[in-house]
Amino acid sequence: MQPIAWQISLVLMALVAFGFAFVAINSGRRQEDYSPLQKSAYRLRSRLFWGLVLVFGPAMIYTLFELPYDAARANTGAGPVQVVDATGYQWRWELSQDHVAVGQPVEFRVTSADVNHGFGIYDANLHLVAQTQAMPGYTNTLRHTFSEEGTYKILCMEYCGLAHHNMLTEIRVGAQ
């Protein structure tokens, strides 16, 4: 951990400990009228709420504009959508085809025949490119356009049993 991070963490823990100690010390006092304290607390809570809305509201709205797997942008007009049916079994993937064209949108229809699996597509450097869940009795649709040729690995991302670590297959992305 970075030096500044542990210092901030230490200060925050001290503030929390101080808050607990303050409440513990003052919990034994008898006070007949709590209305001034109540008004002050409600005022503080209201200011805190609106402060958080002003700080985090624009950031949350901004992040909605660039969703990582936007279905509307998957069909870029670069050609017909290629459909790949993917079914997860303990402990293998079954794909309807293992070769797709680069630059053309691919629609993965992902399901499972037994237990929940995580369907993750990784590039040659094992960086996650796209992901979805494979669930029994339900088909998730994942749309992705591969921008680079190569062999991509499909790994299970959710522990599904003893041979989970061997649950992988490959899909080749290349020219038509």
Side-chain angles (χ1 to χ4, degrees):
M1 195 171 357
Q2 299 294 329
I4 190 73
W6 71 263
Q7 291 172 348
I8 292 172
S9 198
L10 189 62
V11 169
L12 290 174
M13 286 188 282
L15 287 172
V16 170
F18 175 75
F20 277 113
F22 179 78
V23 169
I25 291 169
N26 291 322
S27 65
R29 283 192 195 163
R30 269 292 200 218
Q31 188 174 5
E32 298 301 322
D33 186 22
Y34 284 106
S35 61
L37 180 62
Q38 185 180 19
K39 287 180 183 177
S40 175
Y42 285 158
R43 196 169 34 252
L44 176 64
R45 185 171 59 182
S46 177
R47 288 180 183 158
L48 179 63
F49 171 77
W50 288 112
L52 290 173
V53 166
L54 288 173
V55 170
F56 291 111
M60 289 173 21
I61 291 170
Y62 175 74
T63 61
L64 293 176
F65 292 118
E66 293 296 329
L67 290 175
Y69 310 122
D70 187 6
R73 289 187 296 169
N75 191 358
T76 59
V81 175
Q82 305 165 92
V83 176
V84 177
D85 294 316
T87 305
Y89 297 90
Q90 285 182 315
W91 293 278
R92 63 185 167 87
W93 290 107
E94 188 175 283
L95 302 178
S96 62
Q97 60 182 353
D98 64 353
H99 185 272
V100 295
V102 67
Q104 289 186 339
V106 181
E107 180 176 288
F108 291 94
R109 296 178 184 160
V110 183
T111 189
S112 171
D114 43 36
V115 298
N116 283 354
H117 299 283
F119 182 84
I121 304 172
Y122 292 83
D123 65 11
N125 297 320
L126 289 181
H127 293 129
L128 184 63
V129 175
Q131 69 176 352
T132 191
Q133 281 294 116
M135 299 176 285
Y138 185 80
T139 301
N140 274 320
T141 301
L142 172 65
R143 294 176 186 93
H144 182 72
T145 302
F146 293 95
S147 59
E148 296 179 14
E149 292 186 6
T151 301
Y152 291 77
K153 293 188 183 306
I154 297 175
L155 304 172
C156 182
M157 300 174 61
E158 185 168 326
Y159 183 72
C160 58
L162 291 175
H164 161 76
H165 62 283
N166 287 330
M167 189 172 172
L168 64 99
T169 191
E170 293 180 344
I171 189 163
R172 291 184 314 278
V173 177
Q176 186 73 338

